[in-house]
Amino acid sequence: MKMLINVPETVVADALRGLAAAHPELTVDVENRVIVRRDAPVAGKVGLVSGGGSGHEPLHGGFVGPGMLSAACPGEVFTSPVPDQMLRAAAAVDSGAGVLFIVKNYTGDVLNFDMAAELAEDEGIQIAKVLVNDDVAVTDSLYTAGRRGTGATLFVEKIAGAAADEGMPLERVEAIARQVNENSRSFGIALSACSTPAKGSPTFDLPPGELELGIGIHGEPGRERRPMMTSGEIAEVAVEAVVEDLRPRNPVLVLVNGMGATPLLELYGFNAEVHRVLAERGVPVARVLVGNYVTSLDMAGASLTLCQVDEELLRLWDAPVKTPGLRWGV
């Protein structure tokens, strides 16, 4: 596989140097692998810290800035960051109002954020944690016990970030983040496998003419493999899986997310089919986001995330945000 890299060993450091050059509003510590809002810590504001393996860009570093995260910790490709990174990030953004860790449900992330929370509390930093586990496709996988954390991470980071920017206390920001996670469900589809820089070839075999339903963001296998389907047929499967589990009573936020290699032409077409199926099921749509936000390197495919919202959650979603990967209202 051809890749626009120097060598696999420096791919994350090279990307961080490029992020720093493109976004001077961020403080990027390439050596220690921490990305921080340049204005952090903000007096009286709860700090939001997230992180995970690289390869899911713009998650998480692309979501650092006003209205979202205070800091992010990138690990190696598909590998959890280490507790020292998380501790550095928490210390850099703590204003005395506490820090919320937003953690995707993958075993390495959970263990390392738990350890970092203990270390931070030993240093007098008040820590709260929210676990994102929105994927309805499988209960357990190669990377996790329980449901995987996927597209809802964006909803949690955006809405909790707005709450923190409004000056809400840590307990309230944590409660809102938990509410968003509980109100969100996701389902992913792969049309091709991804290729990691270290391996240089597809991470799993997906024959021509077949797709994988229910994949995770590391290319983990899903619930089943089928012959290739039309966009409308895939939308039927994805919406059915999410709606049957979520059973929304309120309007929903819709995230039609590309896995890294699917062009917007296809994603917008898939979004049209998703809206058709939601309308047939009587699910009202409040807001829509289409694009590559929670990716899996160069995987072709998409994921669907729905989050049912009340007036407060919708107001916080609409609040201004200014990050490399998400921006509106500013």
Side-chain angles (χ1 to χ4, degrees):
M1 300 292 293
K2 296 177 182 178
M3 295 183 180
L4 192 63
I5 64 173
N6 291 316
V7 293
E9 292 77 13
T10 67
V11 66
V12 175
D14 291 346
L16 290 175
R17 289 190 296 106
L19 180 69
H23 296 282
E25 71 274 16
L26 302 177
T27 298
V28 182
D29 185 339
V30 177
E31 181 178 356
N32 293 301
R33 306 289 173 88
V34 178
I35 304 163
V36 182
R37 284 176 56 163
R38 190 169 290 278
D39 62 351
V42 178
K45 176 188 173 304
V46 170
L48 265 64
V49 174
S50 193
S54 297
H56 307 304
E57 290 73 23
L59 191 81
H60 293 271
F63 298 145
V64 175
M68 285 192 81
L69 295 176
S70 306
C73 310
E76 292 297 326
V77 173
F78 291 177
T79 303
S80 171
V82 298
D84 282 352
Q85 290 173 261
M86 302 159 186
L87 178 60
R88 286 180 183 273
V93 304
D94 180 41
S95 69
V99 174
L100 177 66
F101 283 167
I102 299 172
V103 188
K104 300 188 305 302
N105 188 30
Y106 294 95
T107 302
D109 290 9
V110 172
L111 292 174
N112 286 345
F113 270 104
D114 282 349
M115 188 178 301
E118 294 179 6
L119 295 171
E121 287 167 350
D122 287 344
E123 295 193 4
I125 303 172
Q126 184 182 4
I127 298 291
K129 292 175 291 183
V130 170
L131 189 67
V132 182
N133 56 352
D134 55 301
D135 179 30
V136 302
V138 294
T139 300
D140 298 299
S141 74
L142 300 174
Y143 290 81
T144 188
R147 290 185 166 184
R148 302 174 291 205
T150 58
T153 312
L154 181 150
F155 289 150
V156 173
E157 292 178 355
K158 170 63 185 77
I159 293 174
D165 271 18
E166 287 188 0
M168 294 187 191
L170 180 60
E171 295 78 9
R172 182 61 183 147
V173 176
E174 177 189 5
I176 287 172
R178 290 187 187 281
Q179 181 185 0
V180 174
N181 178 63
E182 290 165 2
N183 286 1
S184 300
R185 301 290 189 277
S186 295
F187 188 87
I189 306 99
L191 307 182
S192 72
C194 60
S195 301
T196 63
K199 191 173 190 294
S201 59
T203 55
F204 63 92
D205 177 44
L206 186 56
E210 295 187 2
L211 54 73
E212 186 89 24
L213 296 173
I215 51 89
I217 58 174
H218 305 95
E220 310 97 302
R223 57 169 60 170
E224 64 177 306
R225 187 169 289 185
R226 291 189 191 178
M228 187 59 192
M229 302 155 66
T230 67
S231 177
E233 291 168 338
I234 295 171
E236 294 272 358
V237 172
V239 172
E240 182 73 17
V242 171
V243 170
E244 282 301 304
D245 198 288
L246 181 60
R247 298 190 180 278
R249 299 174 302 278
N250 296 341
V252 296
L253 305 177
V254 176
L255 170 62
V256 171
N257 171 68
M259 302 306 297
T262 302
L264 279 172
L265 180 72
E266 296 176 31
L267 292 178
Y268 278 119
F270 182 58
N271 181 54
E273 297 298 336
V274 166
H275 275 64
R276 173 185 60 81
V277 181
L278 287 172
E280 291 171 355
R281 284 158 176 72
V283 180
V285 173
R287 301 288 186 273
V288 185
L289 193 62
V290 179
N292 288 295
Y293 295 100
V294 184
T295 61
S296 184
L297 292 170
D298 61 342
M299 179 184 287
S303 64
L304 171 67
T305 304
L306 302 182
C307 174
Q308 64 171 334
V309 291
D310 56 21
E311 289 184 4
E312 181 183 37
L313 295 186
L314 186 58
R315 178 182 63 79
L316 292 170
W317 174 257
D318 287 340
V321 58
K322 187 178 180 181
T323 71
L326 204 66
R327 180 175 302 210
W328 60 68
V330 290

